[in-house]
Short mmCIF file of all heavy atoms in Angstrom, two decimals:
data_model
loop_
_atom_site.label_atom_id
_atom_site.label_comp_id
_atom_site.label_asym_id
_atom_site.label_seq_id
_atom_site.Cartn_x
_atom_site.Cartn_y
_atom_site.Cartn_z
N ILE A 131 202.31 284.84 139.21
CA ILE A 131 201.28 285.27 140.18
C ILE A 131 201.72 286.52 140.93
O ILE A 131 200.91 287.39 141.25
CB ILE A 131 200.95 284.12 141.17
CG1 ILE A 131 200.39 282.93 140.40
CG2 ILE A 131 199.99 284.59 142.23
CD1 ILE A 131 199.07 283.19 139.68
N GLY A 132 203.02 286.58 141.22
CA GLY A 132 203.53 287.69 142.00
C GLY A 132 204.45 288.59 141.19
O GLY A 132 204.85 288.25 140.07
N ALA A 133 204.80 289.73 141.79
CA ALA A 133 205.72 290.68 141.13
C ALA A 133 206.30 291.59 142.18
O ALA A 133 205.82 291.67 143.32
CB ALA A 133 205.01 291.47 140.05
N MET A 134 207.32 292.33 141.79
CA MET A 134 207.94 293.36 142.64
C MET A 134 208.20 294.59 141.77
O MET A 134 208.37 294.50 140.56
CB MET A 134 209.24 292.86 143.28
CG MET A 134 209.05 291.67 144.17
SD MET A 134 210.60 291.10 144.94
CE MET A 134 210.80 292.34 146.24
N ALA A 135 208.20 295.75 142.41
CA ALA A 135 208.48 297.00 141.70
C ALA A 135 209.28 297.92 142.59
O ALA A 135 209.09 297.93 143.83
CB ALA A 135 207.19 297.69 141.26
N VAL A 136 210.15 298.68 142.01
CA VAL A 136 210.92 299.68 142.77
C VAL A 136 210.31 301.05 142.53
O VAL A 136 209.95 301.40 141.40
CB VAL A 136 212.42 299.67 142.36
CG1 VAL A 136 212.63 300.00 140.91
CG2 VAL A 136 213.23 300.61 143.26
N LEU A 137 210.17 301.81 143.62
CA LEU A 137 209.73 303.19 143.56
C LEU A 137 210.93 304.08 143.82
O LEU A 137 211.59 303.94 144.86
CB LEU A 137 208.65 303.47 144.61
CG LEU A 137 207.42 302.56 144.63
CD1 LEU A 137 206.48 302.98 145.75
CD2 LEU A 137 206.70 302.60 143.28
N LEU A 142 209.22 305.96 152.66
CA LEU A 142 208.42 304.84 153.16
C LEU A 142 206.92 305.21 153.25
O LEU A 142 206.06 304.44 152.86
CB LEU A 142 208.94 304.38 154.53
CG LEU A 142 208.20 303.23 155.19
CD1 LEU A 142 208.20 301.98 154.30
CD2 LEU A 142 208.83 302.93 156.56
N LYS A 144 205.21 307.46 151.62
CA LYS A 144 204.64 307.58 150.26
C LYS A 144 204.43 306.19 149.64
O LYS A 144 203.41 305.91 149.01
CB LYS A 144 205.55 308.44 149.39
CG LYS A 144 204.88 308.99 148.14
CD LYS A 144 205.79 310.03 147.50
CE LYS A 144 205.86 311.31 148.29
NZ LYS A 144 206.69 312.36 147.64
N ALA A 145 205.43 305.32 149.83
CA ALA A 145 205.34 303.96 149.27
C ALA A 145 204.17 303.19 149.89
O ALA A 145 203.47 302.47 149.19
CB ALA A 145 206.65 303.22 149.49
N ARG A 146 203.98 303.36 151.18
CA ARG A 146 202.86 302.67 151.84
C ARG A 146 201.53 303.18 151.34
O ARG A 146 200.57 302.38 151.16
CB ARG A 146 202.98 302.84 153.36
CG ARG A 146 204.00 301.89 153.98
CD ARG A 146 204.10 302.08 155.47
NE ARG A 146 204.83 300.95 156.10
CZ ARG A 146 205.52 301.04 157.22
NH1 ARG A 146 205.60 302.19 157.85
NH2 ARG A 146 206.11 299.99 157.69
N ALA A 147 201.44 304.45 151.09
CA ALA A 147 200.20 305.02 150.56
C ALA A 147 199.91 304.48 149.16
O ALA A 147 198.76 304.14 148.83
CB ALA A 147 200.30 306.54 150.53
N ILE A 148 200.93 304.37 148.33
CA ILE A 148 200.80 303.83 146.97
C ILE A 148 200.36 302.38 147.05
O ILE A 148 199.44 301.93 146.34
CB ILE A 148 202.11 304.00 146.18
CG1 ILE A 148 202.39 305.48 145.91
CG2 ILE A 148 202.05 303.21 144.87
CD1 ILE A 148 203.80 305.77 145.39
N ALA A 149 201.00 301.60 147.94
CA ALA A 149 200.67 300.19 148.07
C ALA A 149 199.23 300.01 148.53
O ALA A 149 198.50 299.14 148.00
CB ALA A 149 201.63 299.53 149.07
N GLU A 150 198.79 300.81 149.47
CA GLU A 150 197.42 300.71 149.97
C GLU A 150 196.40 301.06 148.88
O GLU A 150 195.38 300.37 148.73
CB GLU A 150 197.25 301.65 151.18
CG GLU A 150 195.93 301.49 151.88
CD GLU A 150 195.80 302.38 153.11
OE1 GLU A 150 196.82 302.87 153.61
OE2 GLU A 150 194.67 302.59 153.55
N ALA A 151 196.72 302.08 148.09
CA ALA A 151 195.81 302.49 147.02
C ALA A 151 195.71 301.45 145.92
O ALA A 151 194.69 301.30 145.27
CB ALA A 151 196.29 303.83 146.44
N ALA A 152 196.81 300.71 145.72
CA ALA A 152 196.87 299.74 144.61
C ALA A 152 196.35 298.37 145.01
O ALA A 152 196.04 297.57 144.12
CB ALA A 152 198.31 299.63 144.12
N ALA A 153 196.26 298.06 146.28
CA ALA A 153 196.01 296.68 146.72
C ALA A 153 194.68 296.13 146.19
O ALA A 153 194.65 295.05 145.58
CB ALA A 153 196.04 296.62 148.23
N ASP A 154 193.58 296.82 146.40
CA ASP A 154 192.28 296.39 145.91
C ASP A 154 191.99 294.93 146.24
O ASP A 154 191.58 294.14 145.38
CB ASP A 154 192.19 296.63 144.39
CG ASP A 154 190.76 296.56 143.86
OD1 ASP A 154 189.84 296.76 144.69
OD2 ASP A 154 190.58 296.29 142.66
N GLY A 155 192.22 294.58 147.50
CA GLY A 155 191.93 293.21 147.94
C GLY A 155 193.04 292.22 147.73
O GLY A 155 192.93 291.06 148.19
N GLU A 156 194.12 292.61 147.03
CA GLU A 156 195.27 291.73 146.82
C GLU A 156 196.41 292.16 147.73
O GLU A 156 196.39 293.22 148.34
CB GLU A 156 195.71 291.78 145.35
CG GLU A 156 194.68 291.17 144.38
CD GLU A 156 195.22 291.09 142.96
OE1 GLU A 156 195.72 292.11 142.45
OE2 GLU A 156 195.12 290.01 142.40
N VAL A 157 197.44 291.33 147.77
CA VAL A 157 198.63 291.67 148.56
C VAL A 157 199.46 292.71 147.81
O VAL A 157 199.80 292.52 146.64
CB VAL A 157 199.48 290.42 148.84
CG1 VAL A 157 200.82 290.79 149.49
CG2 VAL A 157 198.72 289.46 149.76
N CYS A 158 199.79 293.80 148.49
CA CYS A 158 200.67 294.83 147.94
C CYS A 158 201.30 295.53 149.14
O CYS A 158 200.65 296.34 149.80
CB CYS A 158 199.89 295.82 147.07
SG CYS A 158 200.96 296.99 146.17
N THR A 159 202.54 295.18 149.43
CA THR A 159 203.18 295.70 150.65
C THR A 159 204.60 296.18 150.33
O THR A 159 205.16 295.86 149.30
CB THR A 159 203.27 294.62 151.73
OG1 THR A 159 204.05 293.53 151.23
CG2 THR A 159 201.90 294.11 152.13
N VAL A 160 205.17 296.92 151.27
CA VAL A 160 206.56 297.33 151.16
C VAL A 160 207.45 296.15 151.49
O VAL A 160 207.33 295.55 152.58
CB VAL A 160 206.88 298.52 152.07
CG1 VAL A 160 208.37 298.84 152.03
CG2 VAL A 160 206.07 299.74 151.67
N ALA A 161 208.34 295.78 150.58
CA ALA A 161 209.29 294.68 150.80
C ALA A 161 210.62 295.17 151.33
O ALA A 161 211.19 294.57 152.25
CB ALA A 161 209.51 293.91 149.49
N ASN A 162 211.15 296.23 150.72
CA ASN A 162 212.45 296.77 151.10
C ASN A 162 212.35 298.28 151.24
O ASN A 162 212.02 298.98 150.29
CB ASN A 162 213.53 296.49 150.03
CG ASN A 162 213.64 295.06 149.61
OD1 ASN A 162 213.27 294.15 150.35
ND2 ASN A 162 214.18 294.84 148.43
N VAL A 169 212.31 302.59 147.53
CA VAL A 169 211.49 301.61 148.26
C VAL A 169 210.98 300.58 147.27
O VAL A 169 210.60 300.93 146.15
CB VAL A 169 210.33 302.29 149.01
CG1 VAL A 169 209.51 301.28 149.78
CG2 VAL A 169 210.83 303.39 149.96
N VAL A 170 210.95 299.31 147.69
CA VAL A 170 210.49 298.23 146.80
C VAL A 170 209.17 297.67 147.33
O VAL A 170 209.02 297.43 148.53
CB VAL A 170 211.57 297.12 146.71
CG1 VAL A 170 211.03 295.95 145.89
CG2 VAL A 170 212.85 297.67 146.10
N LEU A 171 208.22 297.47 146.41
CA LEU A 171 206.94 296.86 146.74
C LEU A 171 206.90 295.41 146.26
O LEU A 171 207.57 295.05 145.28
CB LEU A 171 205.79 297.61 146.08
CG LEU A 171 205.63 299.10 146.38
CD1 LEU A 171 204.40 299.65 145.68
CD2 LEU A 171 205.57 299.36 147.88
N SER A 172 206.08 294.60 146.92
CA SER A 172 205.97 293.20 146.55
C SER A 172 204.54 292.73 146.79
O SER A 172 203.84 293.25 147.68
CB SER A 172 206.93 292.36 147.41
OG SER A 172 206.89 290.99 147.06
N GLY A 173 204.08 291.76 145.97
CA GLY A 173 202.74 291.24 146.16
C GLY A 173 202.21 290.58 144.90
O GLY A 173 202.95 290.13 144.03
N HIS A 174 200.87 290.53 144.78
CA HIS A 174 200.24 289.98 143.57
C HIS A 174 200.58 290.85 142.36
O HIS A 174 200.61 292.09 142.47
CB HIS A 174 198.71 289.93 143.75
CG HIS A 174 198.27 288.81 144.65
ND1 HIS A 174 197.76 289.05 145.92
CD2 HIS A 174 198.24 287.46 144.48
CE1 HIS A 174 197.44 287.88 146.48
NE2 HIS A 174 197.71 286.91 145.62
N ARG A 175 200.74 290.22 141.24
CA ARG A 175 201.16 290.97 140.04
C ARG A 175 200.19 292.09 139.68
O ARG A 175 200.60 293.21 139.37
CB ARG A 175 201.31 289.99 138.85
CG ARG A 175 201.61 290.70 137.51
CD ARG A 175 202.10 289.75 136.45
NE ARG A 175 203.41 289.26 136.72
CZ ARG A 175 204.53 289.90 136.40
NH1 ARG A 175 204.48 291.08 135.82
NH2 ARG A 175 205.70 289.37 136.66
N GLY A 176 198.89 291.82 139.73
CA GLY A 176 197.94 292.86 139.37
C GLY A 176 198.06 294.07 140.27
O GLY A 176 198.02 295.22 139.78
N ALA A 177 198.21 293.87 141.56
CA ALA A 177 198.34 294.98 142.50
C ALA A 177 199.65 295.75 142.27
O ALA A 177 199.65 296.99 142.31
CB ALA A 177 198.29 294.44 143.94
N ILE A 178 200.72 295.04 142.00
CA ILE A 178 202.01 295.71 141.76
C ILE A 178 201.95 296.52 140.45
O ILE A 178 202.47 297.65 140.39
CB ILE A 178 203.16 294.69 141.73
CG1 ILE A 178 203.30 293.99 143.08
CG2 ILE A 178 204.47 295.36 141.34
CD1 ILE A 178 203.59 294.90 144.25
N GLU A 179 201.30 295.99 139.45
CA GLU A 179 201.15 296.74 138.19
C GLU A 179 200.30 297.98 138.40
O GLU A 179 200.60 299.06 137.84
CB GLU A 179 200.56 295.84 137.11
CG GLU A 179 201.54 294.79 136.61
CD GLU A 179 200.94 293.81 135.63
OE1 GLU A 179 199.68 293.78 135.51
OE2 GLU A 179 201.69 293.06 135.01
N ARG A 180 199.27 297.88 139.26
CA ARG A 180 198.47 299.06 139.57
C ARG A 180 199.30 300.09 140.33
O ARG A 180 199.18 301.31 140.10
CB ARG A 180 197.24 298.66 140.41
CG ARG A 180 196.16 297.93 139.61
CD ARG A 180 194.86 297.81 140.37
NE ARG A 180 194.94 296.96 141.55
CZ ARG A 180 194.79 295.62 141.52
NH1 ARG A 180 194.58 294.99 140.38
NH2 ARG A 180 194.86 294.92 142.64
N ALA A 181 200.17 299.61 141.21
CA ALA A 181 201.03 300.54 141.97
C ALA A 181 201.97 301.29 141.05
O ALA A 181 202.18 302.49 141.20
CB ALA A 181 201.83 299.75 143.01
N VAL A 182 202.53 300.60 140.07
CA VAL A 182 203.41 301.25 139.09
C VAL A 182 202.65 302.35 138.32
O VAL A 182 203.15 303.44 138.10
CB VAL A 182 204.02 300.20 138.13
CG1 VAL A 182 204.75 300.88 136.96
CG2 VAL A 182 204.99 299.29 138.89
N ALA A 183 201.42 302.02 137.94
CA ALA A 183 200.60 302.97 137.20
C ALA A 183 200.23 304.19 138.04
O ALA A 183 200.14 305.32 137.55
CB ALA A 183 199.35 302.27 136.70
N LEU A 184 200.01 303.98 139.35
CA LEU A 184 199.61 305.06 140.24
C LEU A 184 200.76 305.91 140.76
O LEU A 184 200.56 307.05 141.17
CB LEU A 184 198.89 304.45 141.48
CG LEU A 184 197.50 303.88 141.32
CD1 LEU A 184 197.13 303.11 142.59
CD2 LEU A 184 196.51 305.02 141.08
N ALA A 185 201.95 305.34 140.75
CA ALA A 185 203.06 305.90 141.51
C ALA A 185 203.36 307.35 141.21
O ALA A 185 203.51 308.18 142.12
CB ALA A 185 204.31 305.05 141.31
N MET A 188 201.00 309.83 142.48
CA MET A 188 200.99 309.89 143.95
C MET A 188 202.31 310.40 144.51
O MET A 188 202.58 310.27 145.73
CB MET A 188 200.64 308.52 144.55
CG MET A 188 199.20 308.11 144.25
SD MET A 188 198.68 306.60 145.12
CE MET A 188 198.67 307.14 146.83
N LEU A 195 208.76 297.83 137.24
CA LEU A 195 208.70 296.44 137.64
C LEU A 195 210.12 295.86 137.66
O LEU A 195 210.97 296.22 136.83
CB LEU A 195 207.86 295.64 136.62
CG LEU A 195 206.34 295.82 136.69
CD1 LEU A 195 205.68 295.14 135.50
CD2 LEU A 195 205.79 295.28 138.00
N PRO A 201 207.64 287.11 144.42
CA PRO A 201 207.41 288.33 145.21
C PRO A 201 207.99 288.18 146.61
O PRO A 201 207.31 287.74 147.54
CB PRO A 201 205.89 288.43 145.24
CG PRO A 201 205.42 287.00 145.19
CD PRO A 201 206.43 286.25 144.37
N PHE A 202 209.24 288.52 146.78
CA PHE A 202 209.93 288.33 148.05
C PHE A 202 209.44 289.32 149.13
O PHE A 202 208.93 290.39 148.84
CB PHE A 202 211.44 288.49 147.86
CG PHE A 202 212.01 287.61 146.78
CD1 PHE A 202 212.77 288.12 145.75
CD2 PHE A 202 211.75 286.24 146.80
CE1 PHE A 202 213.28 287.31 144.76
CE2 PHE A 202 212.25 285.40 145.80
CZ PHE A 202 213.03 285.96 144.77
N HIS A 203 209.65 288.93 150.38
CA HIS A 203 209.39 289.79 151.55
C HIS A 203 207.97 290.35 151.57
O HIS A 203 207.75 291.53 151.73
CB HIS A 203 210.43 290.93 151.60
CG HIS A 203 211.83 290.44 151.75
ND1 HIS A 203 212.27 289.84 152.90
CD2 HIS A 203 212.85 290.42 150.88
CE1 HIS A 203 213.55 289.48 152.73
NE2 HIS A 203 213.91 289.80 151.50
N CYS A 204 207.01 289.44 151.36
CA CYS A 204 205.60 289.82 151.51
C CYS A 204 204.86 288.58 152.03
O CYS A 204 205.42 287.47 152.05
CB CYS A 204 205.02 290.34 150.20
SG CYS A 204 204.51 289.06 149.03
N PRO A 205 203.60 288.74 152.45
CA PRO A 205 202.86 287.61 153.04
C PRO A 205 202.71 286.40 152.12
O PRO A 205 202.48 285.28 152.61
CB PRO A 205 201.50 288.23 153.37
CG PRO A 205 201.80 289.67 153.62
CD PRO A 205 202.85 290.02 152.61
N LEU A 206 202.84 286.59 150.80
CA LEU A 206 202.74 285.45 149.88
C LEU A 206 203.88 284.45 150.09
O LEU A 206 203.79 283.32 149.63
CB LEU A 206 202.75 285.95 148.42
CG LEU A 206 201.55 286.82 148.01
CD1 LEU A 206 201.73 287.32 146.59
CD2 LEU A 206 200.25 286.06 148.14
N MET A 207 204.93 284.85 150.79
CA MET A 207 206.09 283.98 151.04
C MET A 207 205.91 283.12 152.29
O MET A 207 206.85 282.44 152.71
CB MET A 207 207.34 284.84 151.21
CG MET A 207 207.90 285.44 149.93
SD MET A 207 208.74 284.18 148.90
CE MET A 207 207.59 284.11 147.52
N THR A 254 208.95 286.85 155.12
CA THR A 254 207.71 287.59 154.78
C THR A 254 207.77 289.07 155.18
O THR A 254 206.89 289.83 154.79
CB THR A 254 206.49 286.94 155.46
OG1 THR A 254 206.72 286.92 156.88
CG2 THR A 254 206.26 285.53 154.97
N MET A 256 209.41 293.04 156.05
CA MET A 256 210.07 294.12 155.33
C MET A 256 211.55 294.19 155.74
O MET A 256 211.88 294.11 156.90
CB MET A 256 209.40 295.43 155.65
CG MET A 256 210.02 296.66 154.98
SD MET A 256 209.08 298.18 155.24
CE MET A 256 209.48 298.53 156.96
#
Side-chain angles (χ1 to χ4, degrees):
I131 299 297
M134 299 180 77
V136 61
L137 306 180
L142 180 59
K144 197 170 288 182
R146 280 180 166 152
I148 292 168
E150 187 177 343
D154 195 23
E156 293 186 309
V157 171
C158 187
T159 60
V160 174
N162 307 337
V169 181
V170 175
L171 302 183
S172 183
H174 285 109
R175 175 166 289 277
I178 297 300
E179 288 175 347
R180 287 192 294 275
V182 170
L184 287 169
M188 293 188 67
L195 286 171
F202 306 127
H203 299 291
C204 82
L206 295 176
M207 286 286 112
T254 57
M256 179 175 74

